[in-house]
Amino acid sequence: MNKFAMGVLMGGAAAFAGIGYLMQDKKTYHKMVRKGKKLASRAEEVMDDIID
């Protein structure tokens, strides 16, 4: 359990550091946002197809 908790804390710290880096680099941040929007729209289309 102790190793699991340490892994969760380290993973959260790494994710926080990555997000902080992306916020500093505006060009990379905007590129990631655009890719995220494209992926979200594709996922929405797939879910609509599955539901129909």
Side-chain angles (χ1 to χ4, degrees):
M1 188 63 176
N2 191 16
K3 289 182 181 181
F4 175 76
M6 188 59 130
V8 169
L9 289 175
M10 293 300 287
F16 186 72
I19 290 170
Y21 174 74
L22 284 176
M23 291 297 191
Q24 289 178 349
D25 189 7
K26 295 292 184 188
K27 186 176 180 183
T28 305
Y29 176 72
H30 287 296
K31 189 185 295 184
M32 294 291 286
V33 169
R34 270 189 254 124
K35 281 186 179 181
K37 287 181 181 177
K38 285 182 185 177
L39 290 175
S41 67
R42 287 182 189 164
E44 185 177 337
E45 290 172 3
V46 168
M47 290 303 290
D48 288 341
D49 289 344
I50 290 172
I51 292 171
D52 292 340

